[in-house]
Amino acid sequence: MSVIENTKQFAPAGSWTADPVHSHVAFEVGYAGVNTFRGSFTDFSASLKGGEHATLEGTAKIASIDVKDEHLNGHLQTPDFFDTQRYPEIAFKATELRRLDDNRVEGKGELTIKGTTQPVQLEGVIAGEPSTDPFGRERLGLKLETSIDRTQYGVNWNAPNQSGGDYVANDVKLIAELAFVKAEA
């Protein structure tokens, strides 16, 4: 894997904001040892500053968690999981972003869940070039993924599986598929 020369920036210069209608922030975790359980956050924000030294930051409101079950949405907001009353947001800040060959990206960042901040490794893809939407706005797509051990953030609840092991795996994949819109100058 080779890094593209410094003449190619991570993202075009300017300020970019995630369009929440065309973006998606989600997680996947093993469940009962037989399948993958998925959920998402409907209230989130992300901003990208392009140019020579790109920056990326984002947050997701825990109260917006959606796992297609009202009772489970409520349980995930309790101290058993995210403790929404004390820790209403998950936050991310990139510390390093690199654009590789074939529009692949990798980087590092800091993820904060339940007041605990841990380093994470990122990988993903970025659109080769921005496109212009029907309203004349520049758009840029970025997909990032990372995997974490949820117990390192104090998200420890589990139940024993009668067939052995636990119901909820500790390893969680986080996925952000972001459609950025460039701010007008």
Side-chain angles (χ1 to χ4, degrees):
M1 209 182 311
S2 63
V3 176
I4 292 178
E5 294 179 35
N6 291 337
T7 57
K8 184 121 178 166
Q9 299 171 346
F10 181 82
S15 296
W16 302 79
T17 303
D19 168 1
V21 173
H22 298 97
S23 299
H24 188 72
V25 175
F27 61 89
E28 299 178 349
V29 62
Y31 180 74
V34 297
N35 72 318
T36 300
F37 180 78
R38 292 173 175 85
S40 62
F41 297 93
T42 59
D43 187 357
F44 58 88
S45 65
S47 62
L48 172 67
K49 296 241 189 250
E52 189 174 335
H53 300 287
T55 63
L56 174 65
E57 294 182 0
T59 60
K61 303 257 190 236
I62 300 297
S64 75
I65 201 164
D66 182 15
V67 295
K68 299 181 182 179
D69 180 297
E70 185 178 318
H71 297 291
L72 185 51
N73 285 342
H75 188 206
L76 290 170
Q77 294 179 43
T78 70
D80 283 346
F81 287 93
F82 292 106
D83 197 356
T84 306
Q85 293 285 35
R86 291 180 51 203
Y87 307 104
E89 289 185 339
I90 293 173
F92 171 79
K93 182 176 183 174
T95 57
E96 180 182 316
L97 297 168
R98 291 181 303 206
R99 188 174 191 143
L100 309 171
D101 293 335
D102 300 326
N103 300 317
R104 291 174 295 123
V105 297
E106 64 181 27
K108 298 177 183 178
E110 295 177 340
L111 180 66
T112 303
I113 301 174
K114 288 184 79 171
T116 300
T117 302
Q118 296 283 336
V120 293
Q121 301 286 325
L122 307 167
E123 60 181 37
V125 294
I126 191 167
E129 297 292 331
S131 67
T132 303
D133 69 17
F135 306 102
R137 299 174 298 192
E138 282 188 88
R139 292 184 166 269
L140 182 68
L142 175 64
K143 180 179 180 180
L144 294 172
E145 296 182 0
T146 191
S147 291
I148 64 166
D149 177 342
R150 66 188 179 90
T151 63
Q152 291 182 343
Y153 296 90
V155 182
N156 298 314
W157 185 92
N158 223 325
N161 185 339
Q162 293 178 4
S163 298
D166 290 325
Y167 268 101
V168 182
N170 290 339
D171 292 333
V172 179
K173 180 191 258 185
L174 304 176
I175 305 125
E177 295 185 68
L178 305 169
F180 286 101
V181 177
K182 188 173 185 180
E184 294 183 22

